[in-house]
Amino acid sequence: MTDNIAIRVENLSKAYGLPFEFSWRGLTSNRDELLSRRHLALKDISFNVRQGELLGIIGRNGAGKSTLLRVLAGVTPPTRGSVNIKGSVFPMIELNAGMSPRLTGRQNVMLLGTIMGLPERHMKQRMGEIEEFCDLGEWFDKPVWQYSSGMPGRLGFAVAVYSDADVLLIDEVLAVGDLAFRNRCTEKMSELRDSGRTIVLVSHNMGAIAGMCTRTIMLDLGDVKFDSLPDLAVHHYKTFVDSLASKKIKKRRVESLEVVAAPGFTLHGLAVLDHRGFPVEEVRGDQKFSLVMDCQIPIEFAEGMLEVMIATEDGQVVLEARRLVMIEGPPAYRRIEASFPNGAPLREARYVLSVSLKNDITGEACITAHTPIAMANRRVASAVIVPPMDAIVSSPSLAPAGLPALKRALPHGAGEH
Amino acid sequence: MVAAGLNRWLYYGRLIQALALRDIQSRFANSVLGLSWLVIRPTIFMLVFSVLRGALRLPDDGLPYALSSFVAISAWFFFIGILQSTTPSIANNAGILKKMAVPRLLFPISAVFVGLIEYAVTWLPLAVLLIWFAYPLSWTLVYLPLILLIVMAFGLGIGLLLASVAVFKDDVLLALPHVIMLWFFLTPVIYPATRLPPDYRWLYFLNPMTGPVEAFRDVILRGAQPDWPSLIPIAIATVVIWAIAIPVFNFMSRYFADAL
């Protein structure tokens, strides 16, 4: 079997800065100590890219996308783990950087080619194509400082495209240039992909990611959160971003269950159950736990988005999970059970747990409940975690008053609107 | 993209050349006088000290003062030009360094070549002065490349060390002008070393730059061979600096992109 892996990333972690620190106590060069003290731009990530793949990388600002490209480009060394790339690499990380504003576009193209180790002959042969691809007209022979903001990026991208490198690392080209240029970029990248070149593309342009890439990775907080087909990754990312937008929980203490329900919706009870199914106030994070919500839902509400969030008492979200739930059958009391089979690695503290059933089309919250919760745990997650969550909807025949498993019964009338 | 073997050295050579050319081109691209600025600076220094000489009672050693000081001033500018261009060479190329895995050593080296080109330009006014004072050049000029090489090696060694620290802390760049100024007065640039009090002359020759500056005068003006023993301090200093600078630079250079 031929090994056609072009990029191999194994357990890569990256913390910026020198691998030692001076302080009054002396020199620290212990990797573990430094890693624990510093911000990790990448946290123990592993993945492979096969030759001919066009891998898209998406994620919020600060997710680690550019750091990943830099490490792949060999510009900055991995703090932990390893990166192996087969073949020649052409990184286009900051498109405008490395250009001399005083030199003309043509001179910059030559300089960039020289920096990248392309033979002069190659550059001269390709100059015509590069000039045509840039489509800058007379600007190509004018100094770069006179360019408008989108123009310098075209030069860099054109050199990358005509470099014949095996692996191209491209950061945000699609953000520069006008529509015509962007279309040419997209076309060219698809062409390169089909000719067997490996491309890693970082972009915030979801349309382009979904349209061109063969695979997409979503990074967040230095970790690979999703690695799948571009459409799925883009969908996942959008859902994730929406959930972040909706989770601006105000700083407040929640002493007991608080409920807000839209007309027609009623929450009858909410309980947190441990792995044996017993209601608890304190959850052990390393074991399965679940949330049970008994409610009344109007008949026309057939499916909804169930969101669970855990925030610290000062309003910082540390866990979030969401799941589409289908509600079928005649109107009745519904029991929605959301379970976390792997638990949740949260620091030992008091939290506010929020559950919300939303209209998945309008995003409008139908029922939202907040309840205090305590975690008992040894494992600690430093970032927002998105643990796996299962959700089951059932229709218990018993009236809500007859549900003994619900520890926290609602105060009288609180669920009414 | 970088090829192996001989091709790699060719690539390094081409890159150094391209970077040096870019620095020279872009520095003067937007000025009217262009490269003549390289001539103006040592000329102004020479004129200022020629005028001040009387007031400062600067000694001379039989050579025309303008000529003697110009040769030494241009040599001194060659040296400090290397320091001033190598030290920030990493930060100045942040754009490239953050983006591409180019050997970091090439940037300070190309900065040294910029210094060499600049020095070559100062030979134009020097030629005018030599003709004016009717001073013929002698065969000893063949030693000039050697002296230039020694000064380059010394300057590059210091520059590498300063550059590797300057990326992380700006103090180096802030301190550099002051150190250079102090060093300027401790080096026999605007006065000849031959007129120093004999008892203290050995002290002067501990300054690594004293020997080379005098050597410039020797080979260009006096038609003499350099005073070889006076070049021992710079030789030792260069070896020591390199022994420290190369490992430090190599280590620190891996993390340059992290700090820029």
Side-chain angles (χ1 to χ4, degrees):
Chain A
M1 206 176 86
T2 53
D3 179 32
N4 63 346
I5 289 176
I7 303 174
R8 195 188 292 274
V9 175
E10 278 167 1
N11 304 101
L12 173 67
S13 292
K14 173 70 191 173
Y16 279 102
L18 286 170
F20 54 79
E21 258 172 34
F22 286 108
S23 68
W24 295 115
R25 267 171 290 163
L27 184 76
T28 319
S29 60
N30 184 318
R31 285 269 160 113
D32 293 310
E33 201 183 323
L34 290 176
L35 276 180
S36 66
R37 207 185 300 167
R38 285 190 192 165
H39 171 75
L40 286 179
L42 294 173
K43 288 170 198 159
D44 196 29
I45 67 171
S46 303
F47 64 89
N48 292 331
V49 186
R50 276 196 303 278
Q51 199 196 323
E53 267 191 303
L54 204 171
L55 175 73
I57 297 183
I58 54 177
R60 295 185 288 163
N61 292 335
K65 306 185 294 294
S66 295
T67 302
L68 178 60
L69 280 202
R70 281 188 195 158
V71 178
L72 289 179
V75 168
T76 182
T79 310
R80 268 272 170 77
S82 66
V83 168
N84 285 302
I85 298 185
K86 211 162 69 181
S88 53
V89 186
F90 195 111
M92 284 310 314
I93 291 176
E94 281 154 52
L95 288 166
N96 301 356
M99 299 216 173
S100 294
R102 299 280 176 208
L103 304 185
T104 66
R106 190 182 300 276
Q107 286 169 324
N108 265 304
V109 164
M110 282 306 285
L111 179 66
L112 199 55
T114 307
I115 291 169
M116 291 317 300
L118 301 170
E120 208 172 332
R121 197 160 18 90
H122 175 102
M123 291 306 293
K124 285 197 171 135
Q125 276 170 3
R126 293 301 184 88
M127 190 54 95
E129 285 169 277
I130 291 175
E131 187 173 351
E132 193 186 331
F133 187 82
C134 291
D135 194 24
L136 289 169
E138 57 181 41
W139 290 95
F140 197 65
D141 285 305
K142 285 188 179 175
V144 167
W145 66 268
Q146 296 178 355
Y147 282 24
S148 71
S149 57
M151 290 178 169
R154 295 188 184 195
L155 298 173
F157 186 72
V159 178
V161 164
Y162 288 99
S163 69
D164 293 346
D166 300 320
V167 177
L168 295 178
L169 309 172
I170 300 171
D171 195 357
E172 276 309 347
V173 261
L174 302 163
V176 302
D178 50 24
L179 189 62
F181 183 73
R182 253 186 287 175
N183 288 341
R184 263 204 313 284
C185 288
T186 316
E187 211 173 283
K188 192 75 202 173
M189 274 196 270
S190 307
E191 202 181 301
L192 290 172
R193 175 197 65 201
D194 296 339
S195 71
R197 240 77 79 68
T198 311
I199 304 176
V200 179
L201 169 72
V202 167
S203 183
H204 288 289
N205 183 333
M206 293 303 139
I209 290 276
M212 287 193 292
C213 295
T214 53
R215 182 181 143 202
T216 299
I217 284 179
M218 184 194 131
L219 287 181
D220 198 55
L221 300 154
D223 204 359
V224 175
K225 294 286 191 228
F226 202 82
D227 180 353
S228 183
L229 294 172
D231 302 0
L232 297 178
V234 167
H235 178 76
H236 183 84
Y237 179 52
K238 282 186 172 161
T239 318
F240 171 69
V241 170
D242 286 349
S243 79
L244 291 176
S246 66
K247 79 175 178 194
K248 290 206 177 75
I249 292 180
K250 293 122 258 159
K251 174 173 177 167
R252 61 167 175 182
R253 286 183 98 87
V254 177
E255 299 294 347
S256 61
L257 184 63
E258 290 175 12
V259 179
V260 182
F265 294 85
T266 314
L267 180 69
H268 293 297
L270 177 79
V272 180
L273 309 180
D274 70 4
H275 65 289
R276 293 161 304 175
F278 292 126
V280 285
E281 282 190 358
E282 191 179 70
V283 173
R284 281 197 50 181
D286 54 347
Q287 283 173 345
K288 175 187 165 170
F289 68 94
S290 52
L291 283 163
V292 180
M293 204 162 114
D294 275 11
C295 44
Q296 205 163 11
I297 296 168
I299 186 164
E300 63 276 10
F301 194 88
E303 63 173 57
M305 184 62 79
L306 181 72
E307 287 186 1
V308 178
M309 248 179 277
I310 295 182
T312 58
E313 287 195 315
D314 46 336
Q316 204 184 349
V317 175
V318 290
L319 173 148
E320 53 182 57
R322 42 168 47 200
R323 183 105 195 183
L324 203 62
V325 289
M326 298 302 208
I327 296 150
E328 286 159 8
Y333 294 111
R334 307 288 183 180
R335 173 170 288 187
I336 301 176
E337 185 172 349
S339 57
F340 295 87
N342 300 340
L346 295 176
R347 194 187 312 266
E348 198 164 297
R350 294 188 59 77
Y351 294 91
V352 176
L353 182 138
S354 307
V355 196
S356 166
L357 182 67
K358 288 182 174 173
N359 182 321
D360 69 319
I361 298 158
T362 62
E364 211 178 318
C366 303
I367 301 175
T368 307
H370 307 284
T371 180
I373 179 178
M375 300 291 298
N377 210 341
R378 282 199 207 107
R379 285 195 300 154
V380 165
S382 51
V384 180
I385 54 164
V386 186
M389 178 175 87
D390 297 328
I392 306 163
V393 181
S394 55
S395 301
S397 53
L398 289 169
L403 288 172
L406 295 186
K407 181 158 195 301
R408 278 183 226 283
L410 275 179
H412 238 56
E416 314 291 332
H417 207 75
Chain B
M1 297 304 301
V2 181
L6 180 66
N7 278 339
R8 194 171 56 184
W9 293 104
L10 285 175
Y11 157 63
Y12 291 166
R14 269 194 331 119
L15 186 52
I16 289 172
Q17 187 194 327
L19 291 171
L21 200 66
R22 179 207 62 178
D23 284 351
I24 293 277
Q25 277 180 346
S26 56
R27 185 165 346 155
F28 299 109
N30 203 29
S31 72
V32 179
L33 297 180
L35 282 174
S36 41
W37 280 107
L38 294 174
V39 174
I40 292 169
R41 193 167 68 147
T43 309
I44 288 175
F45 262 67
M46 183 264 286
L47 291 175
V48 166
F49 286 108
S50 295
V51 171
L52 286 179
R53 182 165 68 115
L56 295 173
R57 293 161 186 255
L58 293 172
D60 74 58
D61 57 347
L63 293 168
Y65 183 78
L67 205 51
S68 167
S69 62
F70 190 86
V71 165
I73 287 169
S74 58
W76 178 256
F77 276 132
F78 172 56
F79 172 63
I80 65 164
I82 290 171
L83 295 189
Q84 283 169 334
S85 57
T86 49
T87 307
S89 63
I90 300 300
N92 288 348
N93 287 293
I96 298 170
L97 282 157
K98 280 197 320 205
K99 185 161 81 163
M100 285 168 259
V102 175
R104 273 64 172 125
L105 202 56
L106 299 185
F107 297 98
I109 291 176
S110 92
V112 170
F113 280 98
V114 173
L116 198 61
I117 296 167
E118 289 178 358
Y119 179 72
V121 176
T122 61
W123 265 80
L124 291 171
L126 181 59
V128 172
L129 284 172
L130 286 168
I131 293 166
W132 178 265
F133 288 102
Y135 248 79
L137 289 170
S138 102
W139 68 273
T140 53
L141 203 61
V142 299
Y143 289 111
L144 186 65
L146 179 68
I147 299 161
L148 289 172
L149 197 68
I150 293 171
V151 173
M152 273 164 71
F154 180 55
L156 180 61
I158 301 178
L160 287 180
L161 206 54
L162 296 182
S164 22
V165 182
V167 173
F168 299 94
K169 294 289 168 225
D170 285 344
D171 305 54
V172 176
L173 285 171
L174 296 170
L176 192 61
H178 309 296
V179 174
I180 284 174
M181 196 171 69
L182 197 66
W183 202 345
F184 173 72
F185 289 110
L186 290 175
T187 309
V189 178
I190 51 166
Y191 51 89
T194 45
R195 293 299 304 272
L196 293 167
D199 293 350
Y200 298 107
R201 261 172 81 174
W202 64 271
L203 203 64
Y204 253 82
F205 279 92
L206 283 184
N207 171 359
M209 281 311 290
T210 303
V213 166
E214 274 305 303
F216 273 94
R217 286 197 179 102
D218 287 336
V219 301
I220 298 172
L221 299 176
R222 295 196 185 103
Q225 283 196 32
D227 175 24
W228 298 113
S230 73
L231 295 177
I232 291 172
I234 192 172
I236 295 171
T238 305
V239 170
V240 171
I241 286 276
W242 276 66
I244 302 168
I246 289 291
V248 168
F249 186 87
N250 273 343
F251 177 79
M252 302 286 257
S253 65
R254 301 181 64 215
Y255 299 92
F256 284 166
D258 289 19
L260 290 169

